[in-house]
Amino acid sequence: MIRLAQEKDIPRIIDLLKQVLEIHANIRPDIFVSGTSKYDVDEVKKMLNNDSKPIYVATDDADNVLGYAMCMIKDTPEDAINRVKIKQMFIDDLCVDEAARGQHVGSKLFEYVKSEAKKLGCYEVTLCVWSGNDKAESFYESLGMQTKEKIMEYIL
């Protein structure tokens, strides 16, 4: 089942955020600090009360959280005079518990996000994948996502 996250889900969401952070820390230890989390309890709690930042959770039959999709509804900035005005559903973070991977939880979450985005009148669903996170990139490509743009770096 997929539903909007509730306050009771926050501890589990934090656990899953830590799993994602470790993947990133293994890929880019020069940027990510192992043992930390992208958001803390208070930040997640604020998101739960913000309609423009929905968090969807996938649960098992006992309502245990197996994964989440943290989203942000974004509009083209008003000062972008050279771009078509669109609304997008940006997946800020998506995680499926290590123990639940391979059970199509992630694809179900993604399909749910697409459905919600369509209901909200969004033009697209977007997300970012760190270079080197090959499993995630392959997963998103298997869902039909395509590269829209790339951010390049030159480390000094």
mmCIF file of all heavy atoms in Angstrom, residues 96-120:
data_model
loop_
_atom_site.group_PDB
_atom_site.id
_atom_site.type_symbol
_atom_site.label_atom_id
_atom_site.label_comp_id
_atom_site.label_asym_id
_atom_site.label_seq_id
_atom_site.Cartn_x
_atom_site.Cartn_y
_atom_site.Cartn_z
ATOM 1 N N VAL A 96 14.149 2.489 -0.877
ATOM 2 C CA VAL A 96 13.492 1.233 -0.492
ATOM 3 C C VAL A 96 14.456 0.524 0.450
ATOM 4 O O VAL A 96 15.659 0.437 0.174
ATOM 5 C CB VAL A 96 13.185 0.357 -1.724
ATOM 6 C CG1 VAL A 96 12.642 -0.995 -1.298
ATOM 7 C CG2 VAL A 96 12.196 1.063 -2.643
ATOM 8 N N ASP A 97 13.931 0.044 1.563
ATOM 9 C CA ASP A 97 14.760 -0.665 2.534
ATOM 10 C C ASP A 97 15.544 -1.775 1.849
ATOM 11 O O ASP A 97 15.024 -2.461 0.970
ATOM 12 C CB ASP A 97 13.866 -1.256 3.633
ATOM 13 C CG ASP A 97 14.682 -1.860 4.748
ATOM 14 O OD1 ASP A 97 15.183 -2.987 4.563
ATOM 15 O OD2 ASP A 97 14.838 -1.223 5.799
ATOM 16 N N GLU A 98 16.794 -1.929 2.267
ATOM 17 C CA GLU A 98 17.652 -2.970 1.684
ATOM 18 C C GLU A 98 16.961 -4.329 1.684
ATOM 19 O O GLU A 98 17.060 -5.082 0.721
ATOM 20 C CB GLU A 98 18.961 -3.075 2.477
ATOM 21 C CG GLU A 98 19.845 -1.865 2.353
ATOM 22 C CD GLU A 98 21.016 -1.885 3.324
ATOM 23 O OE1 GLU A 98 20.847 -2.379 4.461
ATOM 24 O OE2 GLU A 98 22.085 -1.394 2.938
ATOM 25 N N ALA A 99 16.243 -4.643 2.754
ATOM 26 C CA ALA A 99 15.591 -5.943 2.887
ATOM 27 C C ALA A 99 14.384 -6.102 1.968
ATOM 28 O O ALA A 99 13.925 -7.226 1.743
ATOM 29 C CB ALA A 99 15.161 -6.161 4.341
ATOM 30 N N ALA A 100 13.863 -4.999 1.428
ATOM 31 C CA ALA A 100 12.663 -5.072 0.580
ATOM 32 C C ALA A 100 12.990 -4.858 -0.897
ATOM 33 O O ALA A 100 12.082 -4.864 -1.731
ATOM 34 C CB ALA A 100 11.634 -4.040 1.046
ATOM 35 N N ARG A 101 14.253 -4.679 -1.218
ATOM 36 C CA ARG A 101 14.613 -4.446 -2.622
ATOM 37 C C ARG A 101 14.368 -5.703 -3.438
ATOM 38 O O ARG A 101 14.479 -6.812 -2.943
ATOM 39 C CB ARG A 101 16.062 -3.977 -2.728
ATOM 40 C CG ARG A 101 16.207 -2.591 -2.120
ATOM 41 C CD ARG A 101 17.579 -2.002 -2.237
ATOM 42 N NE ARG A 101 17.609 -0.787 -1.413
ATOM 43 C CZ ARG A 101 18.685 -0.300 -0.840
ATOM 44 N NH1 ARG A 101 19.848 -0.888 -1.008
ATOM 45 N NH2 ARG A 101 18.605 0.787 -0.104
ATOM 46 N N GLY A 102 14.008 -5.490 -4.693
ATOM 47 C CA GLY A 102 13.694 -6.613 -5.571
ATOM 48 C C GLY A 102 12.243 -7.050 -5.492
ATOM 49 O O GLY A 102 11.845 -8.000 -6.159
ATOM 50 N N GLN A 103 11.437 -6.374 -4.685
ATOM 51 C CA GLN A 103 10.022 -6.737 -4.521
ATOM 52 C C GLN A 103 9.107 -5.725 -5.215
ATOM 53 O O GLN A 103 7.927 -5.670 -4.932
ATOM 54 C CB GLN A 103 9.679 -6.813 -3.030
ATOM 55 C CG GLN A 103 10.479 -7.860 -2.282
ATOM 56 C CD GLN A 103 10.217 -7.815 -0.782
ATOM 57 O OE1 GLN A 103 9.137 -7.433 -0.331
ATOM 58 N NE2 GLN A 103 11.213 -8.196 0.001
ATOM 59 N N HIS A 104 9.656 -4.899 -6.082
ATOM 60 C CA HIS A 104 8.920 -3.907 -6.876
ATOM 61 C C HIS A 104 8.349 -2.759 -6.047
ATOM 62 O O HIS A 104 7.455 -2.056 -6.511
ATOM 63 C CB HIS A 104 7.822 -4.575 -7.704
ATOM 64 C CG HIS A 104 8.335 -5.700 -8.539
ATOM 65 N ND1 HIS A 104 9.126 -5.500 -9.646
ATOM 66 C CD2 HIS A 104 8.213 -7.047 -8.400
ATOM 67 C CE1 HIS A 104 9.447 -6.666 -10.165
ATOM 68 N NE2 HIS A 104 8.922 -7.623 -9.437
ATOM 69 N N VAL A 105 8.865 -2.582 -4.836
ATOM 70 C CA VAL A 105 8.401 -1.477 -3.994
ATOM 71 C C VAL A 105 8.745 -0.139 -4.644
ATOM 72 O O VAL A 105 7.914 0.764 -4.716
ATOM 73 C CB VAL A 105 9.001 -1.570 -2.570
ATOM 74 C CG1 VAL A 105 8.638 -0.343 -1.731
ATOM 75 C CG2 VAL A 105 8.544 -2.855 -1.883
ATOM 76 N N GLY A 106 9.962 -0.012 -5.144
ATOM 77 C CA GLY A 106 10.393 1.235 -5.768
ATOM 78 C C GLY A 106 9.584 1.585 -6.996
ATOM 79 O O GLY A 106 9.199 2.741 -7.196
ATOM 80 N N SER A 107 9.308 0.590 -7.828
ATOM 81 C CA SER A 107 8.530 0.872 -9.043
ATOM 82 C C SER A 107 7.095 1.242 -8.691
ATOM 83 O O SER A 107 6.503 2.115 -9.332
ATOM 84 C CB SER A 107 8.581 -0.305 -10.014
ATOM 85 O OG SER A 107 8.111 -1.482 -9.413
ATOM 86 N N LYS A 108 6.547 0.635 -7.658
ATOM 87 C CA LYS A 108 5.191 1.004 -7.227
ATOM 88 C C LYS A 108 5.163 2.426 -6.666
ATOM 89 O O LYS A 108 4.226 3.181 -6.927
ATOM 90 C CB LYS A 108 4.670 -0.005 -6.201
ATOM 91 C CG LYS A 108 4.357 -1.353 -6.811
ATOM 92 C CD LYS A 108 3.940 -2.369 -5.778
ATOM 93 C CE LYS A 108 3.737 -3.730 -6.434
ATOM 94 N NZ LYS A 108 3.559 -4.802 -5.461
ATOM 95 N N LEU A 109 6.184 2.775 -5.907
ATOM 96 C CA LEU A 109 6.280 4.146 -5.404
ATOM 97 C C LEU A 109 6.356 5.132 -6.565
ATOM 98 O O LEU A 109 5.662 6.152 -6.575
ATOM 99 C CB LEU A 109 7.529 4.312 -4.536
ATOM 100 C CG LEU A 109 7.391 4.111 -3.049
ATOM 101 C CD1 LEU A 109 8.757 4.040 -2.382
ATOM 102 C CD2 LEU A 109 6.555 5.208 -2.413
ATOM 103 N N PHE A 110 7.192 4.825 -7.549
ATOM 104 C CA PHE A 110 7.348 5.719 -8.692
ATOM 105 C C PHE A 110 6.037 5.867 -9.458
ATOM 106 O O PHE A 110 5.654 6.976 -9.833
ATOM 107 C CB PHE A 110 8.462 5.222 -9.613
ATOM 108 C CG PHE A 110 8.731 6.142 -10.756
ATOM 109 C CD1 PHE A 110 9.385 7.342 -10.565
ATOM 110 C CD2 PHE A 110 8.306 5.825 -12.036
ATOM 111 C CE1 PHE A 110 9.625 8.207 -11.621
ATOM 112 C CE2 PHE A 110 8.541 6.675 -13.105
ATOM 113 C CZ PHE A 110 9.201 7.873 -12.892
ATOM 114 N N GLU A 111 5.333 4.779 -9.680
ATOM 115 C CA GLU A 111 4.046 4.840 -10.383
ATOM 116 C C GLU A 111 3.044 5.683 -9.596
ATOM 117 O O GLU A 111 2.276 6.450 -10.185
ATOM 118 C CB GLU A 111 3.493 3.440 -10.642
ATOM 119 C CG GLU A 111 4.262 2.659 -11.689
ATOM 120 C CD GLU A 111 4.311 3.356 -13.039
ATOM 121 O OE1 GLU A 111 3.276 3.886 -13.495
ATOM 122 O OE2 GLU A 111 5.407 3.385 -13.639
ATOM 123 N N TYR A 112 3.067 5.562 -8.279
ATOM 124 C CA TYR A 112 2.172 6.357 -7.442
ATOM 125 C C TYR A 112 2.515 7.844 -7.552
ATOM 126 O O TYR A 112 1.620 8.692 -7.686
ATOM 127 C CB TYR A 112 2.254 5.889 -5.984
ATOM 128 C CG TYR A 112 1.178 6.479 -5.116
ATOM 129 C CD1 TYR A 112 -0.065 5.879 -5.037
ATOM 130 C CD2 TYR A 112 1.398 7.632 -4.376
ATOM 131 C CE1 TYR A 112 -1.069 6.421 -4.237
ATOM 132 C CE2 TYR A 112 0.413 8.182 -3.584
ATOM 133 C CZ TYR A 112 -0.823 7.564 -3.515
ATOM 134 O OH TYR A 112 -1.815 8.102 -2.735
ATOM 135 N N VAL A 113 3.804 8.158 -7.501
ATOM 136 C CA VAL A 113 4.236 9.552 -7.636
ATOM 137 C C VAL A 113 3.786 10.107 -8.982
ATOM 138 O O VAL A 113 3.280 11.231 -9.067
ATOM 139 C CB VAL A 113 5.762 9.685 -7.453
ATOM 140 C CG1 VAL A 113 6.249 11.066 -7.867
ATOM 141 C CG2 VAL A 113 6.151 9.407 -6.003
ATOM 142 N N LYS A 114 3.960 9.333 -10.048
ATOM 143 C CA LYS A 114 3.512 9.784 -11.373
ATOM 144 C C LYS A 114 2.018 10.068 -11.377
ATOM 145 O O LYS A 114 1.570 11.078 -11.919
ATOM 146 C CB LYS A 114 3.832 8.722 -12.432
ATOM 147 C CG LYS A 114 5.261 8.684 -12.850
ATOM 148 C CD LYS A 114 5.595 7.716 -13.975
ATOM 149 C CE LYS A 114 4.521 6.878 -14.542
ATOM 150 N NZ LYS A 114 4.973 5.883 -15.526
ATOM 151 N N SER A 115 1.256 9.194 -10.764
ATOM 152 C CA SER A 115 -0.196 9.362 -10.710
ATOM 153 C C SER A 115 -0.577 10.626 -9.939
ATOM 154 O O SER A 115 -1.439 11.399 -10.377
ATOM 155 C CB SER A 115 -0.823 8.126 -10.054
ATOM 156 O OG SER A 115 -2.180 8.322 -9.799
ATOM 157 N N GLU A 116 0.072 10.847 -8.806
ATOM 158 C CA GLU A 116 -0.209 12.048 -8.012
ATOM 159 C C GLU A 116 0.202 13.308 -8.776
ATOM 160 O O GLU A 116 -0.504 14.311 -8.755
ATOM 161 C CB GLU A 116 0.511 11.980 -6.654
ATOM 162 C CG GLU A 116 -0.061 10.928 -5.720
ATOM 163 C CD GLU A 116 -1.508 11.177 -5.365
ATOM 164 O OE1 GLU A 116 -1.819 12.245 -4.802
ATOM 165 O OE2 GLU A 116 -2.360 10.308 -5.678
ATOM 166 N N ALA A 117 1.346 13.248 -9.448
ATOM 167 C CA ALA A 117 1.811 14.398 -10.223
ATOM 168 C C ALA A 117 0.814 14.747 -11.318
ATOM 169 O O ALA A 117 0.520 15.920 -11.557
ATOM 170 C CB ALA A 117 3.186 14.099 -10.824
ATOM 171 N N LYS A 118 0.289 13.725 -11.961
ATOM 172 C CA LYS A 118 -0.693 13.958 -13.025
ATOM 173 C C LYS A 118 -1.951 14.615 -12.449
ATOM 174 O O LYS A 118 -2.479 15.574 -13.019
ATOM 175 C CB LYS A 118 -1.037 12.636 -13.711
ATOM 176 C CG LYS A 118 -1.760 12.807 -15.001
ATOM 177 C CD LYS A 118 -1.839 11.495 -15.754
ATOM 178 C CE LYS A 118 -2.288 11.776 -17.161
ATOM 179 N NZ LYS A 118 -2.156 10.647 -18.043
ATOM 180 N N LYS A 119 -2.418 14.132 -11.293
ATOM 181 C CA LYS A 119 -3.599 14.719 -10.641
ATOM 182 C C LYS A 119 -3.368 16.192 -10.301
ATOM 183 O O LYS A 119 -4.302 16.989 -10.323
ATOM 184 C CB LYS A 119 -3.932 13.961 -9.349
ATOM 185 C CG LYS A 119 -4.539 12.611 -9.538
ATOM 186 C CD LYS A 119 -4.803 11.984 -8.175
ATOM 187 C CE LYS A 119 -5.075 10.506 -8.265
ATOM 188 N NZ LYS A 119 -5.169 9.878 -6.923
ATOM 189 N N LEU A 120 -2.138 16.532 -9.958
ATOM 190 C CA LEU A 120 -1.807 17.902 -9.563
ATOM 191 C C LEU A 120 -1.504 18.803 -10.762
ATOM 192 O O LEU A 120 -1.180 19.969 -10.588
ATOM 193 C CB LEU A 120 -0.602 17.890 -8.614
ATOM 194 C CG LEU A 120 -0.863 17.259 -7.248
ATOM 195 C CD1 LEU A 120 0.452 17.044 -6.498
ATOM 196 C CD2 LEU A 120 -1.812 18.120 -6.428
#
